[in-house]
Amino acid sequence: NLGSVNLGRHIRDGELDLQLLETTVTTAIRMLDNVVDINYYPTPEARNANIKHRPVGLGIMGFQDALHQMGVPYA
């Protein structure tokens, strides 16, 4: 269960809006965690492993866009 956050969409007035980012990450993780509960599992072993370990991952995208909007060179 994977998702990603677009950092470029979290820039407000040339700065990273940390409050918006926190809200986005909290919501995204909660939604990914919900997928663990409602997902279809082909075997009882797969279901038990996912319920026990609750594997989720949240990455980022739009890093370069965010830097550009903030006026920070990538180099």
Side-chain angles (χ1 to χ4, degrees):
N1 302 312
L2 303 173
S4 58
V5 174
N6 186 345
L7 290 180
R9 301 291 300 228
H10 292 80
I11 304 299
R12 300 288 182 259
D13 300 321
E15 294 185 6
L16 182 62
D17 185 340
L18 292 176
Q19 186 174 7
L20 177 60
L21 183 60
E22 180 180 354
T23 300
T24 300
V25 169
T26 301
T27 302
I29 290 295
R30 182 67 195 150
M31 291 173 70
L32 287 170
D33 188 63
N34 287 344
V35 170
V36 172
D37 292 326
I38 63 174
N39 206 6
Y40 166 76
Y41 299 104
T43 65
E45 293 83 8
R47 182 182 189 288
N48 290 339
N50 273 0
I51 295 297
K52 180 179 178 181
H53 300 293
R54 309 201 70 80
V56 299
L58 188 62
I60 62 168
M61 63 182 183
F63 179 68
Q64 176 61 34
D65 294 333
L67 291 178
H68 176 73
Q69 292 175 38
M70 293 187 301
V72 176
Y74 185 76

